[in-house]
Amino acid sequence: MSEVVTLGECLVTLVADRPGPLSDATSFDRFVAGAEANVAVGLVRLGHTVTYIGRVGSDGFGDAIRRQLRGEGVDTAFLATESGASNGVMIRERPGLVPAQVLYYRRDSAGSHVSAADVDAAGRNGAFADAKWVHVTGITPALSSGARAAVDRAIDIGRVAGATISLDINLRRRLWPDEAAAPVLRDLATRVDVLLGSADELAVLAGRPIDGNDDPLDLARATLDLGPSVAVAKLGAAGALAVERGAAEPVRRVAVPLASVLDPIGAGDAFCAGFIAARLEGRSLADALDDANACGAAVASALGDQGGLPDRAAVDAIRRSTMSGTGPDTVR
Ligand code: KDG
């Protein structure tokens, strides 16, 4: 069984094949997406074993997802195909000058039906037997009450198994407004060890206005009051910082300088994969943030959520090039 267990909804994404408004898009490239699946693939590429719990539709998209995850080496024994249900789909513009328009077609999808019973069944069949880490995101509890219960159950079983629990806030305002999300995500944050989010996501959990005026360090420190022992702020081009309960000083790391960002979607998930992998390997917070930044940069430089997810050698090469000041564009 696997070191890491995660669960969620895996989507197919159709990305316009050229930049421009969706109204002009006529052809699309098809990718597999879904935050937790992206983290799962990222971790496997970094040499870790991952079990993914969820449901896919009984359609060609569901088959494509299963093949892709299995092909990457993710354990899909607890990824059910739900008869008669469609797979969720996301459609998006190719990022251009303005943030890309994203459309969801996922209401009542197979993935949104993942349940506590699914997690219990996986647990009875040993999915958590070797788990050292359970990773959840704030997307799954927004999908349905059953999916929210599935996240709760995964945390509970992971806790009993002695695993570290992480929550990537991943606030999706297209799924629920901040007023609905905040209490649910805050409650989850009280039950995890590691909390990760962007500054505005941390602000929502800390109950602060999202006006960009709060210092990310203050926001990360404020979320520690909810219960996690580590809070990580993902700051994009400004790098990342982590605060640890009981540590006097925060850990700050700079980002990998990128000449251009091709497609930032999925970069946050890659960041989580890099961070979790390093912590599973017993490495320091600073080292984990450097790996996380390298993974995020690699995905931001490639098209698709999972495109560019690096292996260990690629992470090392990106980190070396960052230190030598040549930048990742010169990595071959
Ligand atoms: O982080 C990238 C995800 O947002 C994307 O893969 C789709 O999981 C997704 C979601 O629910 O928005």
Side-chain angles (χ1 to χ4, degrees):
M1 287 294 166
S2 306
E3 297 167 275
V4 182
V5 177
T6 189
L7 76 160
E9 175 169 28
C10 201
L11 303 166
V12 150
T13 311
L14 303 176
V15 185
D17 73 347
R18 65 198 67 186
L22 202 50
S23 53
D24 290 339
T26 53
S27 344
F28 297 83
D29 295 318
R30 202 252 307 135
F31 298 98
V32 167
E36 303 85 353
N38 298 341
V39 173
V41 172
L43 280 163
V44 170
R45 288 202 189 167
L46 291 169
H48 294 279
T49 51
V50 185
T51 292
Y52 183 91
I53 302 171
R55 298 185 186 202
V56 290
S58 53
D59 49 33
F61 286 158
D63 294 343
I65 289 169
R66 177 181 301 286
R67 283 182 201 147
Q68 165 117 353
L69 294 189
R70 198 189 281 151
E72 289 283 353
V74 176
D75 175 9
T76 55
F78 306 106
L79 179 64
T81 296
E82 184 176 319
S83 166
S86 312
N87 208 88
V89 176
M90 185 166 108
I91 299 179
R92 56 184 178 89
E93 292 172 346
R94 181 80 83 96
L97 294 176
V98 293
Q101 192 180 152
V102 176
L103 307 178
Y104 283 143
Y105 294 90
R106 65 194 301 182
R107 191 160 302 145
D108 206 26
S109 62
S112 71
H113 297 160
V114 65
S115 67
D118 294 347
V119 179
D120 278 336
R124 276 196 305 278
N125 286 290
F128 294 81
D130 297 328
K132 296 187 175 55
W133 199 292
V134 171
H135 178 68
V136 300
T137 82
I139 297 172
T140 313
L143 300 177
S144 66
S145 55
R148 193 174 304 172
V151 170
D152 286 338
R153 192 62 56 87
I155 291 175
D156 290 346
I157 299 179
R159 182 67 66 217
V160 171
T164 299
I165 319 284
S166 56
L167 168 67
D168 186 5
I169 300 169
N170 264 342
L171 184 55
R172 293 289 178 268
R173 296 188 166 97
R174 221 170 274 277
L175 294 176
W176 52 357
D178 288 9
E179 308 76 71
V184 175
L185 296 176
R186 238 178 249 137
D187 174 62
L188 283 180
T190 64
R191 292 186 286 135
V192 304
D193 304 294
V194 179
L195 182 68
L196 305 108
S198 60
D200 72 312
E201 290 171 339
L202 295 172
V204 170
L205 262 68
R208 305 273 183 85
I210 311 162
D211 51 14
N213 289 333
D214 270 310
D215 177 3
L217 175 58
D218 288 344
L219 293 172
R221 283 201 168 120
T223 58
L224 278 189
D225 292 342
L226 294 168
S229 47
V230 173
V232 177
K234 300 189 251 180
L235 305 173
L241 68 84
V243 289
E244 188 166 22
R245 183 180 304 284
E249 294 298 326
V251 179
R252 291 181 190 270
R253 307 305 286 174
V254 295
V256 173
L258 285 181
S260 67
V261 170
L262 183 65
D263 179 4
I265 300 188
D269 307 325
F271 179 101
C272 289
F275 181 86
I276 294 169
R279 296 301 276 174
L280 278 170
E281 292 155 21
R283 292 191 280 121
S284 69
L285 278 177
D287 212 10
L289 292 184
D290 281 339
D291 273 20
N293 281 331
C295 291
V299 166
S301 313
L303 200 57
D305 284 34
Q306 297 174 9
L309 277 168
D311 60 14
R312 181 77 254 151
V315 170
D316 292 343
I318 294 167
R319 287 187 55 173
R320 273 197 308 275
S321 71
T322 308
M323 280 178 344
S324 67
T326 53
D329 291 347
T330 59
V331 175
R332 293 284 179 268

